[in-house]
């Protein structure tokens, strides 16, 4: 869905993490069946582009060129356009804003991508909409990175000597407390899933139905997993419909599910006779 062009190999250390961020942004913005390019260029190159297409004869940090003008924020099954980032200016701004070069590259790439999707900052209302979206996506990404690292460490505590399939879970309550769980196996085959361990642990600490806002689940695999049907029944018992269910592979890529997607036909107290 995207390509990074770095002919001078400026960002060899950052490129994989930048790809992860772009993939996250694509998922967050629900971009489908579309393609765009990100090019890391010199100060001279971006000055030439700026002069040729905008009649401005000086360098800038990022330029984006949409394939076509859009009247609304939308995506299409097409080539979205091109984003050009000046490496030298990105380095300067990373120092100026006291963050890493990767942080600056992520910010500039996202800024350019939002322009490709029709966002703008020519007037105050549009500027507020665009910058709020940038802040939201970057905040969610950083939160996801922290969660990914915590889940990866937690996987090492899984007791899975039989099926060799570690699973870790972090359940977040509405007061932002985290409750952890790992899967625990035994020789009989009767095992406890990470999700239920986390939920029951929170219940044992006094939390009640509907106190939960997010559940994060990771396996030590390059594939995404979904909760088993026993865990889904427990979700039905304890979770509100707006619970965020987030499943990760070991690399930290993620998929978001709603409770309705995973538990479409609930069995609840109304089914008891």
């Amino acid at each position: 869905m995207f390509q990074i062009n770095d002919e001078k190999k400026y960002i060899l250390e950052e490129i994989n993490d930048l790809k992860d961020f772009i993939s996250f942004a694509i998922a967050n913005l629900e971009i489908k069946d579309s393609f765009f390019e990100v090019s890391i260029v010199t100060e001279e190159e971006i000055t030439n582009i700026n002069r040729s297409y905008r009649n401005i004869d000086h360098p800038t940090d990022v330029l984006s060129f949409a394939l076509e003008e859009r009247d609304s924020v939308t995506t299409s099954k097409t080539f979205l356009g091109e984003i050009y980032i000046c490496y030298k200016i990105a380095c300067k701004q990373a120092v100026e804003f006291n963050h890493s070069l990767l942080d600056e590259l992520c910010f500039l790439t996202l800024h350019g991508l939002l322009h490709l999707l029709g966002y703008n900052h020519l007037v105050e209302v549009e500027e507020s909409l665009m910058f709020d979206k940038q802040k939201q996506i970057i905040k969610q990404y950083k939160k996801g990175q922290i969660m990914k690292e915590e889940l990866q460490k937690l996987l090492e505590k899984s007791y899975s000597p039989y099926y060799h399939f570690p699973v870790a879970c972090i359940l977040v309550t509405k007061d932002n407390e985290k409750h952890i769980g790992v899967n625990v196996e035994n020789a009989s085959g009767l095992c406890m899933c990470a999700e239920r361990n986390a939920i029951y642990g929170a219940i044992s600490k006094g939390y009640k139905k509907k106190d939960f806002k997010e559940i994060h689940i990771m396996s030590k695999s390059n594939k995404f997993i979904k909760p088993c049907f026993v865990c889904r029944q427990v979700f039905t018992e304890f979770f509100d419909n707006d619970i965020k269910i987030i499943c990760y592979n070991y690399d930290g890529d993620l998929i978001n599910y709603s409770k309705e997607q995973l538990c479409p036909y609930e069995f609840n107290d109304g089914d008891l006779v």
Side-chain angles (χ1 to χ4, degrees), residues 2-18:
F2 66 91
Q3 176 177 311
I4 298 178
N5 304 313
D6 181 27
E7 293 181 2
K8 293 182 173 59
K9 303 189 186 306
Y10 284 134
I11 60 167
L12 285 177
E13 292 184 10
E14 294 84 9
I15 193 164
N16 287 332
D17 289 332
L18 180 58

Side-chain angles (χ1 to χ4, degrees), residues 26 62 80 107 154 181 190 195 251 256 266-267:
I26 287 171
V62 59
L80 291 177
F107 175 83
L154 188 57
L190 296 174
E195 299 93 309
D251 291 332
N256 289 278
E266 295 186 354
F267 181 90

